[in-house]
Amino acid sequence: MWRSPSLCCLLAVAHLYLLSSVDGQETGPSHEPQKLICITHDLQNVTCSWTPTSTGLSYKFCYSDRSTPFSSLVCVKTQDNRAEMPLFSFGSTFIELEAFNSSTILISQTKFWLLDENITYVPLTPQIDNLTANFSTRTLNLKWNDGGSAVPLDTHATWKIRVLRKDPMETVALETYNSSITGKKDILLYWRWTSDIPLECTTHYVQIRCYHDLEYFPGTKSWSEWSPLAKIPGQDTGSLLKMFPVDEVVQVGSNLTFCCVWKTGQHLESIQYSSYPPAKSPAIRLSNWSTMINVPNVNKSAESGENAWCKVDSFYPGTTVFIGYPPDTPQNLTCETSNFKEITCQWKGGRLTNLYSAKRRTNYTVFESISGKNVTYNGEENPDYYRCNFSILNGQRLYNFTVHGSNPLGQSESSLSIDINYRVCPQTPTALTVTDSSSTHITLSWHLSGNLAPVMLQCQVRLNSSGATDSLIVQLNGTDDLDYSILVDKLHPYTKYAFQIRCSAAEPFFWKWSEWSESKHHTTLEAPPARGPDVWRERSPDGETVNIFWKPLPPSETNGLIQNYEVRWSDPDKGLVSEEVPAYHNHTTISLRGNDYVFHVTAKNKAGSSPPSQIKSAELLTESPTTEEGFATGDGVSIDWLPDSEVTCGYTVKWCHQLGPERCVIDWETFPSNVTHAVIKSALFQPGVRYNFSVLGCKDNGYQLMKYVNGYIKELSPRIAPMVVVEHTTSDSIVITWEILSVSDSGGFLKGYLLQFAKGEEDRMKPKEFETKLFNITDPKQTKLKISDLQGRTSYHLNLSAFTAGGIGPARSLYVITEENSVGLIIAIIIPVAIVVVLAFVTSFLCYRKREWIKETFYPDIPNPVNCKALDFPKGPCEGKANPKTLEMNPCTPNIIEVVETQSPCLKIEDTAITSPVADELPEDGFDSETESHIVVSYCPPIIEEEISNPPGDESLGSSQVVYIGIQSMYPPQIKLKEEPGVDCVAAAGYKPQMQLPINSLIKMEDMSSAEEDVDKAAGYRPQVNPPTWNTGCPDSPRSIESNNENASFGSPCSINSRQFLIPPKEDEDSPKVINTGWSFTNFFHNKPND
């Protein structure tokens, strides 16, 4: 039914009709049935059900398709809330549902159209046909009928299979299974499921349901109901005490589950696997008599397995598990034959399975699919090598082999197809023998087992002689268990060989070579030497004898053991002369007796003599042969010579190996006439050693020396430093000489010398520290050098070293001091003397010009009182003492007291020049307005009651007058002190009056009481300055300079009985002048007046 898309479209158009409203009167709307549902199981009948609104009702279910009049409805009475009707296709179905109460009175009537899309398709509930279990593999096998006979058309079915276990039941697996249903036909379906726990641990349940995917069904499609449960009972019935699984084999990395079942009345205390911590595998309850644990990611077990156990009361049931790997795929499978009787297949097993017992290890079987035969491997397990033999079948060339490997954890296999003719590997040849045919030919024989007639053989012969290996390949016809032989030629006479042989199938059937046979050693027969020895001759200095030298032939050319050498020559008197020399000698001496001969030398062994070698004794004279230097190549000496058209029998380069001070071994090398260049090499050559070569040309009438060549195979730096001495020195040059290095010490051809020199004290400078001046002496024959432009009486270090193309040799050091320069010495003496003379003259001249000033400054007539200690006071007379010490003097009676100018007590007395009161006239106000200020005070001490008569000499003066002036320092003060408010102005002044009283108060002293006069008298004499400010030293003395006091006074204070300073300056009394007694450097250059 709904198979055609066109029919589906027509049905869709029909579905556009809406459900018609009920056209009739409803007697009881509240009693209408609810939730009307119509379903079909087989697409033929529809079952409609509804929900009743009350109990005790009966129903009348009437239906009709749209083509049938309403008067022909088909009605069905039912006491249930369901009714069936046929499924009408391509249209709607009219349904009338009437409800009756228990009195059969109509209480409701419902009319409507049922559309196709309102019908739901629900498959019939499936039934499980069979459920079985394989406890060893933990698998459940399910079998059921797909119910296709109830479905009228083909469709696709989807099945849900649910597995449950535990008490109460829990779903542990829900899997989907797809199948195809053939309409009107039942088909059995099968499904297998593997449990993660042993099936013995608890009961497992299985149920199924289905869904049919009807492509053209317009209504809703739904899942069927779940089938009834089918179960596999476990061992947890309370009648068994055991641990599961039992002796199970699992793969490394698996998750293991162990369960313990016990009897009714017993109690489980613990369950554990090997050394796995119980805390990481907690117990899980399955049922009242079963508990399990999970162990994840297990490692491979020991050979005896790993144990798990549980403790139930006092019992310890347990089990063992073996953990390993499934068999690896057979690797490097090859099959071949060696004798066309058996085919040998071999392979590698790969990774070890870790399963060792006969029941658990890997079993291999070789199966040949064409013949259907197989062979089982019965050997020990070996991951590196497995081998089986399969008998060859008559007439069969193609074979298809498959190697199967299996163990409890899995299977593996590998296949190979071969053509037996292309897989031939003969056995190793045996019974190898060697037979001589000649000195260069032998016959080689051997034996091969097996029937190799189907193929052509090829055999390879390997020859080894003195480390050199050669091979030979020959082809042979295959035979059946016969010997084979071949002829081997082109061998060297009297040579020891080691023979080996191996064989294989020839092309096109070549597969692989057999193993090499054992070695067979054999020495070939002797033959005459292949050529004559290399010869040379040396004439004695007097020419009477000649030494004939020859070189032994190499073993490859002797062809046997050399027994002796024969020297033959033709003598005019004796004819043919011969001499035999033992084999251990390489020379002989022959007397010439004034003749020249041609000598023939041959080598002899048991097989015969070599071809003769010829040498001429005649030597031609050469005029002044040149000596050249050969070029070092690192392993030899390169020599060139000019071609000579007269040379017909080649060139010879001769040299000598110095083996001691008196022993020299002659060596030589010959070259054809067309060669003009050669590199001479020898195992005896050493770097840094000079070798002397002679190049000779062989002409028809003898040998002629062409030139000498000196050379090194490799030049080195000189071994020692040159012996250098100082020949003589001057103040500006050094002449050194040295010896030329010997040939043995030079290490190469000398290219010159390097001289380094620099200034430096002895043992103070190393050569590497030189700030050097370098002389490069490029003439290797030079032995003398003059070093110029040096400094006199100077130390020099000199280093002299020789150099070659191989490098610079060690240096010889010298320490040299140049001679003293006499001219410089004279100049060094004259210049200081001249300077001293000039300075003495200038000093004398200045002293002469300043003689008066010098006398007055440094040699005065009257000593300076400043240096006298008599006037030194520890401190001021009135400072801190009641009765100070004073300078006592006789009192005087003043005639006149004249106050020229008064000053305040705090007036600062200016420093002025010391001026005689008679010499200059002062202005009326007593000050010089332009230059210096002067303070003139006419002063007389207090009146003394005692009269003092004037001395006779002083009567003419009339009166005694004292003039006080400021005394200026003889030198300018270093620092001008500032006035400080807390310092006594009078005390700070340079000069002080004899009483610390104001001048205008002297007049009032006459009215003082007698007590006051006593006090004044007690004051006594006061110096004119503060004693601490006196400077008794010289003006330029450190003490006067350090005092730093601008009020310091110099010289002597005034006496009260004197009219002038006690020590006046020495001046002309008629013309008194201001005199500055201080010393100044400018005075030294200042001319005094009158000079």
Side-chain angles (χ1 to χ4, degrees), residues 349-397:
R351 179 183 57 193
L352 285 172
T353 62
N354 200 51
L355 304 174
Y356 299 100
S357 68
K359 295 190 300 182
R360 290 182 289 273
R361 75 175 189 179
T362 303
N363 297 314
Y364 288 100
T365 301
V366 179
F367 175 72
E368 202 284 305
S369 61
I370 296 177
S371 63
K373 296 183 178 182
N374 61 70
V375 178
T376 301
Y377 174 77
N378 297 319
E380 296 295 328
E381 185 173 7
N382 183 359
D384 295 330
Y385 180 77
Y386 291 92
R387 183 172 182 173
C388 277
N389 292 326
F390 187 88
S391 297
I392 290 180
L393 304 176
N394 291 331
Q396 183 175 341
R397 284 182 56 180

Side-chain angles (χ1 to χ4, degrees), residues 677-975:
H677 169 77
V679 176
I680 308 301
K681 299 180 181 180
S682 174
L684 300 178
F685 285 163
Q686 297 179 0
V689 178
R690 181 181 295 185
Y691 296 95
N692 302 318
F693 301 91
S694 300
V695 181
L696 299 99
C698 179
K699 299 183 179 181
D700 293 337
N701 54 350
Y703 285 91
Q704 185 177 29
L705 178 64
M706 301 179 66
K707 65 177 179 179
Y708 296 108
V709 177
N710 299 330
Y712 298 83
I713 64 169
K714 183 179 180 180
E715 292 192 57
L716 303 178
S717 59
R719 295 180 176 86
I720 63 173
M723 295 297 297
V724 59
V725 295
V726 178
E727 187 174 272
H728 69 273
T729 61
T730 64
S731 61
D732 62 347
S733 66
I734 299 174
V735 178
I736 59 173
T737 60
W738 61 88
E739 297 179 1
I740 297 178
L741 294 179
S742 64
V743 173
S744 60
D745 294 330
S746 61
F749 296 111
L750 285 179
K751 301 299 181 182
Y753 301 89
L754 292 177
L755 176 65
Q756 296 174 304
F757 72 96
K759 297 179 183 179
E761 297 297 330
E762 188 174 8
D763 299 331
R764 292 290 182 88
M765 184 177 292
K766 297 179 181 179
K768 66 180 181 179
E769 298 172 350
F770 281 164
E771 295 178 1
T772 58
K773 292 183 179 179
L774 185 66
F775 281 103
N776 187 359
I777 304 168
T778 58
D779 184 4
K781 297 181 179 180
Q782 182 176 340
T783 59
K784 187 174 182 179
L785 179 67
K786 180 179 180 181
I787 308 171
S788 304
D789 298 328
L790 305 180
Q791 297 179 1
R793 198 64 182 174
T794 304
S795 302
Y796 288 93
H797 285 275
L798 288 80
N799 280 357
L800 182 67
S801 58
F803 65 91
T804 65
I808 302 174
R812 182 81 63 181
S813 299
L814 289 178
Y815 174 72
V816 184
I817 301 177
T818 56
E819 299 291 337
E820 190 170 6
N821 191 346
S822 58
V823 175
L825 180 61
I826 293 173
I827 294 175
I829 294 174
I830 290 177
I831 291 177
V833 171
I835 292 174
V836 171
V837 171
V838 171
L839 290 177
F841 176 77
V842 173
T843 303
S844 301
F845 176 76
L846 293 176
C847 290
Y848 176 77
R849 293 289 305 272
K850 294 293 183 177
R851 61 186 179 277
E852 291 299 330
W853 177 82
I854 292 173
K855 180 178 179 182
E856 292 176 2
T857 303
F858 298 103
Y859 303 100
D861 294 336
I862 300 175
N864 190 350
V866 174
N867 297 327
C868 180
K869 302 295 183 178
L871 297 179
D872 287 347
F873 293 94
K875 57 184 177 178
C878 298
E879 296 178 8
K881 290 186 180 181
N883 298 317
K885 295 180 181 180
T886 60
L887 180 64
E888 295 182 1
M889 60 189 72
N890 293 326
C892 67
T893 302
N895 294 331
I896 298 173
I897 296 176
E898 182 181 0
V899 178
V900 179
E901 183 178 354
T902 61
Q903 295 190 19
S904 64
C906 292
L907 177 64
K908 181 176 179 181
I909 301 174
E910 300 290 339
D911 293 337
T912 59
I914 302 174
T915 308
S916 173
V918 184
D920 299 324
E921 292 183 359
L922 298 172
E924 293 180 357
D925 55 1
F927 291 90
D928 188 355
S929 61
E930 294 179 358
T931 57
E932 296 177 344
S933 62
H934 300 276
I935 301 174
V936 180
V937 180
S938 180
Y939 173 77
C940 187
I943 300 174
I944 308 301
E945 291 181 358
E946 297 179 0
E947 288 187 3
I948 301 174
S949 60
N950 293 331
D954 295 334
E955 292 177 358
S956 61
L957 296 175
S959 66
S960 177
Q961 186 179 18
V962 178
V963 178
Y964 295 91
I965 64 174
I967 302 175
Q968 185 180 16
S969 173
M970 299 177 70
Y971 292 93
Q974 297 296 324
I975 300 175

Side-chain angles (χ1 to χ4, degrees), residues 652-677:
T652 300
V653 178
K654 183 196 69 171
W655 68 94
C656 181
H657 293 289
Q658 197 72 35
L659 301 181
E662 298 181 356
R663 185 184 177 189
C664 183
V665 178
I666 298 295
D667 202 353
W668 68 94
E669 192 169 346
T670 59
F671 302 94
S673 301
N674 59 346
V675 175
T676 58
H677 169 77

Side-chain angles (χ1 to χ4, degrees), residues 125-441:
T125 301
Q127 299 295 319
I128 294 176
D129 186 68
N130 188 22
L131 177 64
T132 60
N134 186 336
F135 287 91
S136 62
T137 59
R138 300 183 183 180
T139 58
L140 296 177
N141 299 309
L142 180 66
K143 183 173 69 171
W144 73 97
N145 193 315
D146 67 350
S149 60
V151 181
L153 48 90
D154 297 341
T155 186
H156 176 76
T158 301
W159 305 84
K160 289 290 186 181
I161 306 173
R162 182 164 63 180
V163 181
L164 304 97
R165 68 179 176 216
K166 293 181 66 174
D167 185 14
M169 286 189 296
E170 293 180 358
T171 299
V172 295
L174 181 62
E175 296 189 8
T176 300
Y177 181 89
N178 295 313
S179 68
S180 295
I181 293 179
T182 302
K184 303 298 183 176
K185 182 179 180 181
D186 290 336
I187 297 176
L188 288 178
L189 301 178
Y190 299 89
W191 176 77
R192 176 179 293 180
W193 176 77
T194 301
S195 175
D196 59 337
I197 68 172
L199 298 178
E200 297 92 342
C201 293
T202 189
T203 301
H204 287 71
Y205 302 90
V206 178
Q207 60 181 175
I208 61 176
R209 66 175 180 173
C210 68
Y211 174 86
H212 293 168
D213 187 13
L214 297 175
E215 184 178 359
Y216 302 111
F217 181 73
T220 304
K221 297 181 286 288
S222 179
W223 284 92
S224 71
E225 296 294 330
W226 285 104
S227 69
L229 289 171
K231 69 176 181 178
I232 297 295
Q235 299 293 332
D236 56 338
T237 59
S239 60
L240 181 67
L241 175 62
K242 198 170 184 180
M243 192 85 173
F244 296 100
V246 178
D247 295 339
E248 188 176 31
V249 180
V250 297
Q251 188 172 345
V252 173
S254 300
N255 298 327
L256 292 182
T257 300
F258 299 93
C259 70
C260 182
V261 297
W262 60 92
K263 297 179 180 180
T264 304
Q266 293 179 333
H267 300 281
L268 176 70
E269 296 184 11
S270 64
I271 180 171
Q272 185 176 351
Y273 165 74
S274 186
S275 59
Y276 197 78
K280 292 186 177 181
S281 57
I284 301 173
R285 180 181 176 278
L286 294 176
S287 66
N288 293 334
W289 300 282
S290 178
T291 296
M292 74 174 186
I293 59 171
N294 291 319
V295 181
N297 194 22
V298 292
N299 295 321
K300 64 181 181 180
S301 63
E303 186 174 351
S304 59
E306 297 290 343
N307 297 321
W309 65 92
C310 63
K311 183 180 179 183
V312 179
D313 295 338
S314 60
F315 300 99
Y316 290 88
T319 185
T320 302
V321 63
F322 299 91
I323 308 170
Y325 298 96
D328 203 355
T329 302
Q331 302 171 7
N332 301 333
L333 173 63
T334 60
C335 295
E336 61 188 25
T337 183
S338 62
N339 52 17
F340 280 95
K341 295 179 181 180
E342 287 183 330
I343 298 175
T344 301
C345 293
Q346 58 186 17
W347 65 92
K348 290 184 178 180
R351 179 183 57 193
L352 285 172
T353 62
N354 200 51
L355 304 174
Y356 299 100
S357 68
K359 295 190 300 182
R360 290 182 289 273
R361 75 175 189 179
T362 303
N363 297 314
Y364 288 100
T365 301
V366 179
F367 175 72
E368 202 284 305
S369 61
I370 296 177
S371 63
K373 296 183 178 182
N374 61 70
V375 178
T376 301
Y377 174 77
N378 297 319
E380 296 295 328
E381 185 173 7
N382 183 359
D384 295 330
Y385 180 77
Y386 291 92
R387 183 172 182 173
C388 277
N389 292 326
F390 187 88
S391 297
I392 290 180
L393 304 176
N394 291 331
Q396 183 175 341
R397 284 182 56 180
L398 299 179
Y399 294 85
N400 295 329
F401 292 104
T402 301
V403 178
H404 293 275
S406 63
N407 68 7
L409 295 179
Q411 297 181 357
S412 64
E413 65 178 30
S414 181
S415 299
L416 177 67
S417 297
I418 64 170
D419 183 339
I420 193 60
N421 282 8
Y422 288 89
R423 291 293 185 270
V424 178
C425 180
Q427 295 183 2
T428 303
T430 59
L432 186 63
T433 59
V434 180
T435 305
D436 285 316
S437 297
S438 67
S439 61
T440 58
H441 295 71

Side-chain angles (χ1 to χ4, degrees), residues 451-472:
N451 180 17
L452 299 175
V455 295
M456 177 71 73
L457 286 180
Q458 64 178 2
C459 294
Q460 181 181 16
V461 180
R462 183 166 64 184
L463 303 85
N464 190 299
S465 175
S466 302
T469 302
D470 197 3
S471 63
L472 173 67

Side-chain angles (χ1 to χ4, degrees), residues 476-487:
L476 303 168
N477 291 322
T479 59
D480 187 4
D481 289 333
L482 292 179
D483 292 336
Y484 299 85
S485 63
I486 60 172
L487 181 66

